[in-house]
Amino acid sequence: MATRAEALVAALQSALGERIVSVTAALGEVTLVVTAEDLLSVAAILRDAPELKFEQLTDLCGVDYASYGMVAWTGTPMSEGGAGVPLGGGAPETDHAPAIDEHAPQTDPRAHGAAANPERRRFAVVYHLLGIAHNWRLRVRVFCPDDAFPLVDSVTGVWSSANWYEREAFDLYGIVFSGHPDLRRILTDYGFVGHPFRKDFPLSGNVEMRYDPDQQRVIYQPVTIEPREITPRIVRVENYADVDKKQ
C-alpha cells in the first residue's frame, strides 16, 4: 500500500504534469520544485484541484544558497577539534559546486539540494502549504532566475496570507515579489541598509543609529563595531574528569 507521501506525489504528477521540475518524498515530507514562470499557474492548481486542495499557505520564507553544498562537513569527535569541522580547512576557493554523484541516495541533503538546484541559483522562495480537505502538507520551492535581482511573482492573489510573509522575505533577503500590493520592509527600520539574512551580510551590519544631543534627534552613521570572530567554547572529552571532580 502506498504511503501518504507517495499518494501525494502521484496526485501532484497527475495534476501538474510537465510543470514539475522535481518532486521528492523523504522522511514523510514532500518537496515540489517548479520554475518561477509557472509559479502562479501551479499555485492556482494546488489550491483548486479537487485531488490536491491546498487551501492554506501556512508559511513562506526566503533562502540564500550562496555557498550551499560547496563545503563538505564531518562530525569529528570533539576531542579532535569539535563537531562540524569543514574538510579542507575553510571556505571553498571556487564559485562552482563540486560534482555530485548522480547515483547518490536522495536522502543525502547535499545531493538532494544539487538535484533540486542544478543551475546553482542563489535565491529561492519556499512555500509551506496545508490541505485541510485531504489533511496533508506540501513544501514548494521556487528559484529566482536572476541572482543580481531576485524576482518572483506574488502569490497574494492565490493565498492572501502570503502578504506579510512576502514582505518579510523582501526585507531579510531582498527578494522582490512582483504584483505585491504593498511591498516594503516589515522588520527592519526605514533607514536600514542591506538585507540581514543574506550570507554576505556583515555580522555587525552596515549602519548604526544613536541619539545626537546636538541635533536632538536619532541619526544614522557607519557602524563603529570592530569585526571579530567568535569561537564557541567546547568542553573537550579529556577534561570531563576534571569537571566531575570540581562538582
Side-chain angles (χ1 to χ4, degrees):
M1 178 180 293
T3 65
R4 289 182 57 81
E6 293 170 343
L8 176 54
V9 169
L12 291 168
Q13 292 172 336
S14 175
L16 299 176
E18 295 182 354
R19 293 183 177 90
I20 297 176
V21 174
S22 69
V23 58
T24 56
L27 303 177
E29 299 180 350
V30 178
T31 301
L32 171 70
V33 179
V34 298
T35 65
E37 293 77 12
D38 290 333
L39 173 60
L40 290 183
S41 61
V42 167
I45 294 173
L46 292 175
R47 182 193 62 184
D48 299 334
E51 65 272 31
L52 298 175
K53 297 294 288 184
F54 286 99
E55 306 100 327
Q56 185 175 345
L57 182 142
T58 60
D59 193 17
L60 180 157
C61 62
V63 184
D64 183 355
Y65 288 96
S67 58
Y68 178 77
M70 295 167 62
V71 178
W73 293 78
T74 179
T76 57
M78 286 187 178
S79 60
E80 298 178 12
V85 178
L87 295 177
E93 298 180 357
T94 175
D95 292 334
H96 300 285
I100 300 295
D101 183 3
E102 61 181 4
H103 300 295
Q106 291 190 359
T107 54
D108 182 343
R110 284 181 296 143
H112 173 71
N117 186 11
E119 298 182 3
R120 296 295 311 172
R121 300 295 187 191
R122 176 176 176 180
F123 296 101
V125 182
V126 177
Y127 307 80
H128 296 274
L129 307 179
L130 171 64
I132 300 174
H134 301 289
N135 189 27
W136 52 24
R137 297 176 184 271
L138 175 67
R139 178 189 299 111
V140 180
R141 183 186 292 116
V142 177
F143 288 94
C144 302
D146 187 354
D147 291 348
F149 185 69
L151 172 70
V152 296
D153 289 320
S154 171
V155 297
T156 52
V158 181
W159 298 289
S160 59
S161 59
N163 191 314
W164 281 21
Y165 294 137
E166 290 181 348
R167 285 181 57 188
E168 182 183 46
F170 165 71
D171 191 358
L172 301 180
Y173 290 93
I175 299 173
V176 177
F177 294 87
S178 177
H180 190 285
D182 185 24
L183 193 62
R184 55 191 169 94
R185 290 186 183 272
I186 191 172
L187 294 176
T188 60
D189 195 34
Y190 293 108
F192 195 88
V193 177
H195 304 283
F197 276 16
R198 288 191 174 189
K199 297 297 179 65
D200 53 5
F201 186 82
L203 294 179
S204 57
N206 294 306
V207 297
E208 63 185 20
M209 63 180 185
R210 66 175 177 84
Y211 179 77
D212 189 308
D214 297 329
Q215 302 183 47
Q216 296 186 351
R217 65 181 180 88
V218 173
I219 65 170
Y220 287 91
Q221 64 184 29
V223 66
T224 58
I225 302 175
E226 291 293 331
R228 58 178 179 150
E229 180 179 350
I230 300 177
T231 303
R233 182 179 179 182
I234 299 175
V235 178
R236 303 194 181 279
V237 175
E238 59 266 21
N239 296 327
Y240 285 174
D242 295 336
V243 173
D244 294 337
K245 290 179 181 179
K246 293 179 181 179
Q247 293 178 349

